[in-house]
Structures are given as C-alpha cells and as structure tokens.
Amino acid sequence: MARGGGQVSVYQVLGKDHPEAPQGKKLLSARLLALQGFGWEVFSITQAVRDWVADEGSNQGLLVTVQGLAGAPLDPHAVQFASGRDHHASKKPMLVLFTDDGRRAATLPSGFPAFPPPPEPPSNRTRGARSAESSLPCQRYPLMVDFDEIGWTGWVISPLGYNAFYCKGTCLFPLGQTMRPTNHATVQSIIHALKLSPEVQTPCCVPDNLFSINLLYFDDDDTVVLKQYDGMGAGSCGCH
C-alpha cells in the first residue's frame, strides 16, 4: 500500500519553533489517498480559522504531511507539493472562507421562519391546519438544497448547499400590491372571480425575481473553476 497510497494529514501549527513535536501541532483533518490519482482534495480547517479569528497572534500556519501506511516508507519522488513557481495557477492551493455579514437574515420578511417547522403526526387537526395553509396568500418559503442529496458533490467543491426558496400560496381576487401582481394577473383574477370564462384559473404564485450563486467546481479537465450561476434561487414571489 505504501507504493500506491498514503495518508495525508493537515495540522494546525501551535508552536512554530517545534511544529513536528506532538505538542506543537493539532490534527485538523486526515485522509487516505491513492498516489496514482490526481485532482483536488478538500480538507476542512474550520477550527483553525476560528482560533485565528479569536486570536490573530495564534496563526502559526498549517503543516501538511504525507505518510505511508503502517509506517512503510514512501518514495520521495512519488509525492510532490505544487508551488506557484513550478506549476500552473490552477494547481495552487487555496483557502475558501464562508462568512456571514448579517444580510441574509435582513432579507427575510419579519417573522419569517429560518427553517420550516417539523411535521406533526397526521390528525384531523393537522389536516385542518394544512387546509388553512393552502389558503394563505402567495409568499416565499425556505427550500434548503443539499448538493450531496441531489448527487452534485461529485463535481461541486463548495458550497455544500444553499437556500433556493420556493413560492407557494393563493392568488385570489382582489390581488393586493403585496402579492406583486402583473397587470395580466390582475385582469385574470377579475375574470376568474366573475366566472366569465370557466376555463380561466387563478394566477399562479411563482418567483418574480431570481438571484444567482457562486459555485466552485471541477471542469472536464479537473481544473477548479469559480463561476456565477444565474437564476438559482427565488428572491421574491408574486402572482403571475
């Protein structure tokens, strides 16, 4: 196994003078890798970053080691670390940070739940609550997307998911401005309310403003790419 694989470990350096000593480093993440493989590997160093944010002076850097399994020696030519001078820019190691500037909470309407409430056991009371919910006016609800659950983690590096939101609710006459109706939707709701045309239904509650997200991913050449994808989430909902 030493010829074909090894363990890559990432440590937080606690003592810069003696980083190799047990008390001079703290293990953050470790993984077994095949030495014949290629591509990017992602290691979480969140705990180290938290320590550095709390105390800037504690930032002594990171230590990356590669060891053979069961102490077996590694061929010194089998493992090399990329540097900016000797390799393409796409092979430079990078640190990706996700920070919260507080704007996400500010964009939600007052009283808007951060996550939908857990489902209750079925009952007549629950069915009645669902009936009442279906009569609520058009509005936006959270929709947490986990890239692992939809099979995207094979190519997306980060983020691990995001809140796409979705639109739900009724668009009954009269349509107030809070429902952000189009002129066409207003006319359609009047036609439906007056039953002037039986086949005409109420307007639909749909996204009327979409937002983009940035994805860090591997392309077909195993190059890491950062790209903005438009129309990935519902910014607001309206009757159309």
Side-chain angles (χ1 to χ4, degrees), residues 4 15 17 19 24 26 31 38 60 77 100-101 139 147 152 154 156 168 177 191 197 200-201 228 236:
D17 295 334
K26 179 171 66 175
R31 188 173 306 132
F38 62 92
Q60 304 295 320
H77 300 290
D100 183 6
D101 60 5
Q139 55 189 297
F147 287 157
W152 283 20
V156 176
K168 180 180 179 182
Q177 289 304 309
I191 297 296
S197 183
V200 173
Q201 302 299 313
Q228 176 177 294
S236 59

Side-chain angles (χ1 to χ4, degrees), residues 140 163-167 207-211 231-237:
R140 190 177 73 156
N163 192 347
F165 296 99
Y166 74 100
C167 300
D208 62 355
N209 180 36
L210 299 172
F211 61 82
M232 292 291 287
S236 59
C237 301

Side-chain angles (χ1 to χ4, degrees), residues 32-49:
L32 298 178
L33 299 177
L35 298 184
Q36 294 90 347
F38 62 92
W40 283 83
E41 293 293 332
V42 180
F43 295 87
S44 174
I45 61 168
T46 302
Q47 187 55 57
V49 174

Side-chain angles (χ1 to χ4, degrees), residues 114-144:
F115 296 96
E120 298 179 1
S123 66
N124 291 334
R125 181 178 179 182
T126 302
R127 285 194 292 270
R130 288 175 180 170
S131 177
E133 180 183 343
S134 64
S135 64
L136 291 175
C138 176
Q139 55 189 297
R140 190 177 73 156
Y141 292 88
L143 175 60
M144 302 307 300

Side-chain angles (χ1 to χ4, degrees), residues 15 18 22 27 34 38 41 49 72 82 98 112 127 137 139 142-143 158 168 171-172 176 192 201 204 214 222 239:
H18 304 284
L27 181 64
F38 62 92
E41 293 293 332
V49 174
F98 296 93
F112 197 86
R127 285 194 292 270
Q139 55 189 297
L143 175 60
S158 66
K168 180 180 179 182
C171 293
L172 298 176
H192 177 268
Q201 302 299 313
C204 297
N214 292 324
D222 285 326
C239 293

Side-chain angles (χ1 to χ4, degrees), residues 11-240:
Y11 296 89
Q12 177 184 356
V13 176
L14 303 178
K16 198 169 185 178
D17 295 334
H18 304 284
E20 295 287 354
Q23 68 274 14
K25 62 182 184 295
K26 179 171 66 175
L27 181 64
L28 298 174
S29 183
R31 188 173 306 132
L32 298 178
L33 299 177
L35 298 184
Q36 294 90 347
F38 62 92
W40 283 83
E41 293 293 332
V42 180
F43 295 87
S44 174
I45 61 168
T46 302
Q47 187 55 57
V49 174
R50 286 175 178 167
D51 292 344
W52 298 341
V53 171
D55 179 10
E56 183 178 350
S58 67
N59 186 353
Q60 304 295 320
L62 300 171
L63 174 66
V64 181
T65 64
V66 184
Q67 297 174 318
L69 299 183
L74 282 176
D75 181 352
H77 300 290
V79 180
Q80 296 182 9
F81 290 94
S83 68
R85 295 186 302 272
D86 304 326
H87 294 81
H88 189 270
S90 65
K91 291 182 169 58
K92 291 182 180 179
M94 67 178 65
L95 174 64
V96 179
L97 293 177
F98 296 93
T99 59
D100 183 6
D101 60 5
R103 289 185 296 178
R104 178 185 177 189
T107 60
L108 299 179
S110 176
F112 197 86
F115 296 96
E120 298 179 1
S123 66
N124 291 334
R125 181 178 179 182
T126 302
R127 285 194 292 270
R130 288 175 180 170
S131 177
E133 180 183 343
S134 64
S135 64
L136 291 175
C138 176
Q139 55 189 297
R140 190 177 73 156
Y141 292 88
L143 175 60
M144 302 307 300
V145 178
D146 186 327
F147 287 157
D148 185 39
E149 292 180 349
I150 65 175
W152 283 20
T153 50
W155 65 281
V156 176
I157 301 174
S158 66
L160 301 180
Y162 75 109
N163 192 347
F165 296 99
Y166 74 100
C167 300
K168 180 180 179 182
T170 60
C171 293
L172 298 176
F173 177 84
L175 296 179
Q177 289 304 309
T178 56
M179 298 185 190
R180 306 165 63 91
T182 62
N183 291 335
H184 179 272
T186 300
V187 172
Q188 181 174 329
S189 69
I190 295 173
I191 297 296
H192 177 268
L194 296 177
K195 297 181 173 58
L196 298 179
S197 183
E199 66 271 14
V200 173
Q201 302 299 313
T202 60
C204 297
C205 178
V206 296
D208 62 355
N209 180 36
L210 299 172
F211 61 82
S212 61
I213 65 171
N214 292 324
L215 291 182
L216 191 69
Y217 66 95
F218 295 114
D219 66 8
D220 294 338
D221 297 323
D222 285 326
T223 300
V224 175
V225 179
L226 179 63
K227 180 178 178 181
Q228 176 177 294
Y229 280 82
D230 298 329
M232 292 291 287
S236 59
C237 301
C239 293
H240 287 214

